Amino acid sequence: MRPHPILGAIPPYPSRRAVLLSVTALGGMLWLINLGYNRPLFIDEANVARNLFDRSYAELFQPLDHAQYAPPLYLVLTKILGELFGYRELVLRLPAFAGGLLAVCALWRAGIHLRLGYFTAVPLLLLFVNPAALRYVTELKPYGLDLGVGAGLLVLGIVTSIATSRRQLIMWTIAGMVAPWLSLPAVFVLAAVGLRGLYHDRRWVFPIVAWLLSFGLLYFTVLRPSVGSGYLNSFHQDYFLPWPDTLAALEQFGRIGWGLMRLTFGVTAVALIWGALLLVVGWLPRPRHAWLLLPLGIVLVVSGLRYYSLIDRLMLFALPGLWLIAGLAAQRLWRKSSRVTRAGLVVLTLIALDGSHSLRYFRQPITFSDGAKLAEAAKEGAYRVHPLAEPVVDYYLRIHPVTSEKGQASVRKPYGVYGSGEEHWLYDVLTAPRPNQDLRRDSIGAAERGCRVDSEPLYRARILVIRCP
């Protein structure tokens, strides 16, 4: 390399640190834009907020109301923030966002330990552009924290030496006892780490026993009422992995596997082909890293027993292992490729990384409902709220530190009761069949009674202004 007369020696490529910092800065900007957009809470988020507001800290260690589940320590942390800074949207979403930041730090540290160099950017980019990760690190649900805790435990397993010291065993004992109370899927990562450790050192039996006792307490105090319930079985029916003994089961097995690939790498054909190539290349030459996929294998077995759903949001914890395998494979392909092949790999990677079209969220942040506007309409006079709109309206009229200060004099009529004068009928979650059917039925019914019906469409919500004689 010929030195520049003023600048001195100029490296042919930017430094690894500069590349990773640039990736992290751009990805962090995407996340911050969506967090700062402060989209209104939607039905499940509002139901979690209602539990947080209505319960004491001790009651958060009991099964939740409104068909919700969240780990007790996650709820305690979120309630502390709500009590200190108000139960506003951004504040309540901070624990999930912290989980996303933990995942970033964990993948960076894993890249250093695995000597990925520049290719640490591969798992980082897959994390930042993943639409499920982007949604749940900016949402009042525990899934963003699941991602961070899962990544953190996996990376601790990577950096823990095979010749485990007594200090490391104590650290793992404490971490493993606490983790499931903060993130339920942590048990699958702990199982993988524990099996790997036990294979090399019998002393791992002591932390494993402590983990089982801690999880047993969590199961019998919080989880048992929900596991195997009719609601769980009906809602998640299509997301349990069946034993492949019939053609229908094989079809469902293939559909779930296809869904996991789309969740991991994207929805476009280029992204899926690129991801499949990396998984195959990453698996074959690196058997010592195959244990990174063990959490996924364990959860597949548990799902086959109908104890865990494979719906996208519950699988975020397993993605860091897949992304690290992809980074190892990309590094191997690069080292064995010619200059022309490398150029093709770069182009293919850049196309594949927008496999879920997440870059559009720089200019159009994620949103799901105009629930806050429903509450504003309720303040203007008598209102009637559809059951699926009830959680959001209740949150904004009773809990939110700004909007709850007004509108308490509004008269709410029970759903299904008709009155006279002007009323606002509020509907939400219009992506589901039931509220759409009820909306059409109520509109027709009010018109048949001689009422004037005006409709104000919102994003996945609607306000009917009913004026009856």
Side-chain angles (χ1 to χ4, degrees), residues 241 252-262:
L241 190 67
Q252 185 165 335
F253 184 93
R255 182 181 55 77
I256 290 175
W258 177 254
L260 288 174
M261 283 294 296
R262 289 163 62 91

Side-chain angles (χ1 to χ4, degrees), residues 190-458:
L190 289 171
V193 172
L195 289 173
R196 176 175 178 258
L198 192 62
Y199 178 79
H200 296 282
D201 188 340
R202 293 181 180 179
R203 292 178 302 161
W204 272 85
V205 71
F206 298 106
I208 291 172
V209 169
W211 299 349
L212 291 173
L213 291 174
S214 177
F215 179 71
L217 180 61
L218 175 65
Y219 177 82
F220 285 106
T221 57
V222 180
L223 296 177
R224 190 176 183 180
S226 299
V227 173
S229 68
Y231 167 77
L232 179 67
N233 286 328
S234 61
F235 185 81
H236 293 277
Q237 176 66 34
D238 293 335
Y239 299 97
F240 291 117
L241 190 67
W243 295 113
D245 54 356
T246 66
L247 180 59
L250 287 172
E251 290 177 355
Q252 185 165 335
F253 184 93
R255 182 181 55 77
I256 290 175
W258 177 254
L260 288 174
M261 283 294 296
R262 289 163 62 91
L263 173 66
T264 306
F265 296 107
V267 299
T268 64
V270 173
L272 291 168
I273 293 171
W274 177 78
L277 172 66
L278 292 182
L279 287 183
V280 171
V281 173
W283 172 275
L284 293 178
R286 306 264 184 176
R288 69 182 182 276
H289 296 135
W291 78 273
L292 295 173
L293 302 178
L294 188 54
L296 177 60
I298 293 171
V299 78
L300 292 179
V301 173
V302 174
S303 178
L305 300 174
R306 304 185 71 81
Y307 285 115
Y308 196 83
S309 168
L310 300 180
I311 197 168
D312 286 1
R313 55 182 176 268
L314 297 180
M315 293 301 296
L316 288 180
F317 80 94
L319 300 187
L322 292 167
W323 293 335
L324 288 172
I325 291 291
L328 289 165
Q331 183 185 55
R332 178 177 175 81
L333 282 174
W334 183 267
R335 289 175 175 175
K336 292 186 173 295
S337 299
S338 65
R339 182 173 299 180
V340 174
T341 305
R342 287 178 176 180
L345 287 173
V346 170
V347 173
L348 179 64
T349 300
L350 292 176
I351 296 174
L353 283 172
D354 194 31
S356 295
H357 310 299
S358 295
L359 298 181
R360 69 182 186 271
Y361 296 124
F362 272 108
R363 54 182 175 79
Q364 185 182 356
I366 295 174
T367 189
F368 294 99
S369 174
D370 283 337
K373 293 183 179 179
L374 294 178
E376 290 177 7
K379 298 175 186 178
E380 297 176 3
Y383 69 96
R384 194 184 68 147
V385 57
H386 186 271
L388 291 187
E390 172 74 28
V392 171
V393 174
D394 181 48
Y395 164 75
Y396 281 105
L397 289 184
R398 186 171 62 90
I399 299 172
H400 193 282
V402 176
T403 59
S404 63
E405 296 175 353
K406 303 176 182 179
Q408 295 302 311
S410 297
V411 177
R412 178 196 166 192
K413 293 179 181 275
Y415 186 73
V417 175
Y418 297 91
S420 60
E422 181 176 307
E423 298 177 7
H424 297 93
W425 296 3
L426 313 176
Y427 302 83
D428 201 1
V429 199
L430 293 184
T431 51
R434 177 187 167 190
N436 277 288
Q437 294 169 1
D438 293 344
L439 172 64
R440 289 192 295 269
R441 182 200 63 198
D442 295 343
S443 300
I444 295 171
E448 290 176 345
R449 291 171 41 245
C451 301
R452 177 180 172 182
V453 181
D454 294 316
S455 176
E456 181 181 349
L458 304 174

